[in-house]
Each structure stands twice: as C-alpha cells, then as structure tokens.
C-alpha cells in the first residue's frame, strides 16, 4: 500500500468519519480507507484480512467446530 500525501485536516476528517480505531493499521480499506492510498499491489483480500465470521459459520454448519 502506498499512502497519498494528506493534510492534517484530511486525516482528521477521515478519523472522524470512518472511526477506524481498533482496526489493523487504523484504516478501513473496505470503507473510506481506500481514499488514503495512491496505489496497492498484491492481493486485495490480503489487505482486508480473512472474513472470520462467514468462515466460523461455515465450520459450524459442517459440524467441524462446536461449542
């Protein structure tokens, strides 16, 4: 990921709008975070991370895991 140059005001606006605290890297690429970058290289899904809830639901439906 290559971040674009941003003013302090743009950064403040992003943080206020997207509320990205608690996210890896403090951005939500799947939301407004994509506006923070000039370029990405590599796999888009690697940036987003593994969608864990659908995976857990799948494992439960196949009785691979249980509580």
């Amino acid at each position: 990921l290559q971040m674009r140059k941003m003013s302090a005001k743009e950064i403040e606006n992003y943080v206020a709008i997207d509320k990205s605290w608690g996210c890896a890297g403090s951005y939500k690429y799947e939301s407004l975070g994509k506006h923070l970058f000039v370029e990405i290289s590599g796999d888009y899904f690697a940036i987003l991370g593994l969608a864990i809830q659908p995976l857990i639901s799948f494992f439960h439906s196949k009785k691979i895991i249980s509580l």
Side-chain angles (χ1 to χ4, degrees), residues 33-66:
K34 65 181 70 58
H35 296 275
L36 304 176
F37 300 95
V38 173
E39 178 183 355
I40 66 166
S41 60
D43 185 6
Y44 169 79
F45 294 104
I47 296 166
L48 296 182
L50 181 61
I52 195 71
Q53 287 309 137
L55 182 61
I56 289 172
S57 294
F58 172 79
F59 285 158
H60 279 287
S61 73
K62 299 299 182 185
K63 306 219 181 301
I64 295 170
I65 60 173
S66 66

